[in-house]
Amino acid sequence: MNQELISKIFVPEIKKKTDALVARYETRRASILEVLRLLMDYYGHLTLEIEEAVAAYLGIPPIDVREVVTFYTLFYTAPKAKKRFNVCRTLSCHLMGSDKMIRYLENKLGIKTGEMTPDGEWSLHAVECLGACEIAPMLQFNDDRFCGHLTEKKLDELIESAKKGEQKTSSGKKQAAV
Ligand code: FES
């Protein structure tokens, strides 16, 4: 059963990349973040079936994979929008007005926190501390851009530039727009 599931999820192209990736680590478990990222890029988001296959492939309990997937905001367990706002709601950002920023985005985008627009263009999530408290209130846009010292004007500008496709950054790099 496990082997069947592994073969189903780790199709030859992905299996080859995963094997190379796992070989770079001292233990199979240590490669979990990169393996999940690889599968998410390939499938678009992570399902329970993918999580089970990763657990079987790495030889670890499925609950360990679940914990990783649910801890990091960069992992998506449902289809993701093209343009994603993750607004920090933890203490520093909360004290600096993140609730107001979230409400403003809800009104602008016409969705509630945790939702995606029906056309799949935009989504809005409230997340825990993203490690950039010094620029509170802040948000993460897509996977690689940090925007801080948020104001309604800055959110308007961010939305407008995102509409024009100006938010592309070099892959994997976080950028602070402060
Ligand atoms: S509290 Fe918001 S980034 Fe730390």
Side-chain angles (χ1 to χ4, degrees):
M1 173 60 189
N2 275 355
Q3 199 48 53
E4 251 176 57
L5 183 59
I6 289 173
S7 303
K8 179 179 171 191
I9 300 299
F10 290 86
V11 295
E13 173 194 349
I14 288 297
K15 168 105 173 44
K16 196 172 161 201
K17 285 183 184 170
T18 312
D19 286 345
L21 205 155
V22 170
R24 300 211 308 256
Y25 289 86
E26 258 182 48
T27 64
R28 295 176 73 74
R29 175 188 287 271
S31 66
I32 187 168
L33 289 178
E34 286 208 58
V35 172
L36 287 169
R37 186 68 189 252
L38 180 71
L39 289 167
M40 193 176 72
D41 286 348
Y42 185 76
Y43 288 106
H45 66 281
L46 298 171
T47 62
L48 283 177
E49 190 178 44
I50 292 173
E51 289 180 24
E52 275 180 40
V54 169
Y57 177 83
L58 297 180
I60 61 178
I63 185 67
D64 290 5
V65 180
R66 183 100 275 259
E67 282 174 355
V68 171
V69 169
T70 52
F71 181 79
Y72 291 101
T73 54
L74 62 87
F75 293 127
Y76 293 86
T77 54
K80 59 182 178 180
K82 288 185 193 146
K83 305 176 187 83
R84 304 175 295 281
F85 290 107
N86 288 322
V87 184
C88 175
R89 63 172 173 198
T90 309
L91 190 61
S92 299
C93 288
H94 178 71
L95 292 174
M96 296 301 284
S98 60
D99 280 0
K100 193 176 165 207
M101 297 300 109
I102 289 171
R103 280 198 303 277
Y104 187 74
L105 281 172
E106 285 183 336
N107 285 333
K108 274 299 264 199
L109 303 175
I111 52 176
K112 293 282 176 208
T113 305
E115 291 181 351
M116 177 165 64
T117 53
D119 61 2
E121 278 294 310
W122 306 88
S123 66
L124 172 63
H125 288 88
V127 300
E128 301 307 326
C129 181
L130 290 164
C133 317
E134 70 281 6
I135 57 169
M138 59 81 63
L139 63 77
Q140 181 181 15
F141 181 75
N142 287 349
D143 296 332
D144 53 7
R145 185 179 172 109
F146 277 9
C147 302
H149 302 307
L150 295 175
T151 59
E152 292 177 356
K153 183 167 177 278
K154 271 197 177 180
L155 292 177
D156 285 342
E157 288 166 3
L158 183 57
I159 289 171
E160 282 314 306
S161 61
K163 280 182 186 166
K164 293 178 196 151
E166 292 169 4
Q167 298 304 317
K168 291 193 181 104
T169 61
S170 52
S171 134
K173 287 199 177 149
K174 288 174 180 169
Q175 288 193 349
V178 293

